Amino acid sequence: MTARLEDALKLDLEAKASELSHALREAVLGRLRRRGLVVAVSGGIDSACVAALGVRALGAERVFALLLPERDSSPESLAYGKALCEKLRIPYEVKDIAPILDAAGCYQARNAAVREVVPEFRPDMPWKIVLASDPLSAESLHFFHLVVRLGDGGERRYRLPPGEYKQIVAATNFKQRTRKMLEYYHADRLHYAVGGTPNRLEYDQGFFVKLGDGAADVKPIAGLYKGQVYALARHLGVIEEILEREPTTDTYSLEQSQEDFYYSLHYSKLDLILWAKNHGVSAESVATDLGYTAEQVRRVFDDIDQKRRATVYLHAPPLLLERLEELPDVAPSPAG
């Protein structure tokens, strides 16, 4: 079964590159009637793949990249983003968004919430939040820990209460929404479309910010599992540094993987389990191949469903309370 699962995710890379580049060109120039594509290049694999796909679809001269670091961004992210743009020969602009976030109160609100949990916290102390529960375990309650590196260099974990967790996330979401504001500024200026960068795991499981990184005119890789994104990015000529980089949120001052914050499983395993669930493969078959018990796989299946239910709101368009007869494609959503 492992061979079947892994084979199911293998792509004819040239055929997929041709298919997606043709569809992206038709979406941007045809359906959206825009001249090119804006991509926020983060230094990670997803945005790199979208930028490279945009070059194949539209030409380098019709792709504009934005590199948007802030106080907590890794220096590697900016360096890799620049190197990618230069390799692809696409124009780009670097804008530090920290002053905008500072003026909006992002850092202040976030730090205030951290101090409610850790009174001795100072802004120069690296920190992050991590998901403490494990979908492979019998523990069904999801909760978060705050991890802070204190003045002595040691890291300590604190149970994060719901109120402080929500304030930290709400403040941190300023980052994604500020970036999207700038993407649309340049899209309007250039008469370009905004390219979204979620892969299938992120899109399916709601790992994005509504009206932040979830907002876009076209999402070219939303149908690709994470491992497929890496493979296609290599085929499209993405630089080796990004191809070798593990996924990171690049949101907090302590390095944070996507498993830390959201998935709890590495994408290489979650890709296979999600594909299996989507194609009706039994938990027993998956367990045999991946070295888990059937009960553990069923818990991951349940966690996938739970995340889908919890993030319906993120996918939903605005609700209309009355039908607009002049716009037949726009109808009120049913109650409940």
Side-chain angles (χ1 to χ4, degrees):
M1 178 59 67
T2 299
R4 176 186 167 187
L5 289 180
E6 291 176 349
D7 287 346
L9 293 179
K10 287 180 179 176
L11 298 171
D12 179 332
L13 294 172
E14 177 55 29
K16 180 57 70 172
S18 178
E19 172 195 337
L20 290 180
S21 61
H22 176 79
L24 181 57
R25 182 177 178 85
E26 171 57 28
V28 171
L29 302 182
R31 294 164 60 191
L32 295 170
R33 298 185 181 277
R34 298 282 155 165
R35 297 179 56 250
L37 191 70
V38 171
V39 182
V41 171
S42 67
I45 192 67
D46 296 318
S47 62
C49 188
V50 170
L53 194 61
V55 169
R56 170 135 179 185
L58 303 163
E61 70 282 0
R62 288 179 179 262
V63 178
F64 181 75
L66 283 169
L67 284 66
L68 303 168
E70 48 90 23
R71 289 178 189 171
D72 297 322
S73 301
S74 165
E76 288 182 344
S77 297
L78 181 59
Y80 295 167
K82 286 181 177 179
L84 175 76
C85 293
E86 289 162 7
K87 167 82 180 294
L88 297 177
R89 299 181 181 276
I90 58 178
Y92 68 91
E93 179 176 312
V94 179
K95 184 172 181 62
D96 183 352
I97 65 170
I100 300 174
L101 297 174
D102 208 14
C106 167
Y107 300 118
Q108 299 92 317
R110 186 197 64 182
N111 292 346
V114 174
R115 275 193 294 271
E116 287 293 319
V117 181
V118 187
E120 65 270 33
F121 174 77
R122 300 189 312 271
D124 63 338
M125 292 178 176
W127 67 282
K128 63 181 177 180
I129 60 177
V130 299
L131 186 64
S133 52
D134 181 353
L136 293 174
S137 76
E139 172 63 65
S140 61
L141 179 65
H142 292 298
F143 63 94
F144 286 86
H145 277 149
L146 178 67
V147 180
V148 180
R149 184 177 296 159
L150 300 174
D152 61 4
E155 292 181 7
R156 290 186 58 187
R157 289 181 172 234
Y158 305 82
R159 179 72 176 262
L160 191 54
E164 284 72 19
Y165 164 76
K166 287 187 285 187
Q167 182 166 325
I168 288 170
V169 171
T172 303
N173 286 350
F174 274 119
K175 297 182 181 184
Q176 286 80 7
R177 290 178 175 135
T178 297
R179 290 186 174 109
K180 196 58 61 172
M181 173 182 70
L182 293 170
E183 289 172 56
Y184 271 100
Y185 161 72
H186 287 283
D188 290 347
R189 178 179 68 83
L190 297 167
H191 199 65
Y192 279 15
V194 169
T197 62
N199 59 64
R200 184 155 191 164
L201 288 183
E202 293 172 345
Y203 191 75
D204 183 297
Q205 295 289 277
F207 188 32
F208 55 85
V209 175
K210 190 165 189 175
L211 300 182
D213 53 334
D217 298 312
V218 59
K219 297 182 178 181
I221 61 171
L224 298 180
Y225 292 87
K226 188 77 171 186
Q228 293 175 326
V229 174
Y230 273 98
L232 185 62
R234 180 177 294 278
H235 182 75
L236 292 170
V238 166
I239 62 173
E240 198 66 29
E241 292 87 346
I242 291 177
L243 293 170
E244 293 177 353
R245 194 182 195 194
E246 280 289 305
T248 173
T249 63
D250 204 22
T251 297
Y252 298 94
S253 50
L254 270 180
E255 185 174 349
Q256 181 194 55
S257 71
Q258 292 183 342
E259 301 97 85
D260 279 345
F261 182 67
Y262 199 74
Y263 295 129
S264 295
L265 285 178
H266 191 265
Y267 73 83
S268 59
K269 295 292 193 296
L270 192 54
D271 269 355
L272 298 175
I273 295 174
L274 180 60
W275 185 91
K277 178 177 173 57
N278 288 343
H279 291 83
V281 179
S282 71
E284 288 77 13
S285 295
V286 177
T288 298
D289 291 340
L290 299 186
Y292 299 141
T293 68
E295 182 57 31
Q296 285 176 318
V297 175
R298 279 191 286 271
R299 288 179 190 135
V300 179
F301 283 175
D302 289 344
D303 189 64
I304 289 169
D305 284 334
Q306 182 181 32
K307 284 185 169 68
R308 284 172 172 171
R309 290 191 299 269
T311 59
V312 167
Y313 158 78
L314 298 180
H315 291 278
L319 301 180
L320 301 181
L321 303 184
E322 297 181 286
R323 182 177 297 276
L324 305 182
E325 299 295 344
E326 298 83 0
L327 302 174
D329 292 332
V330 181
S333 300

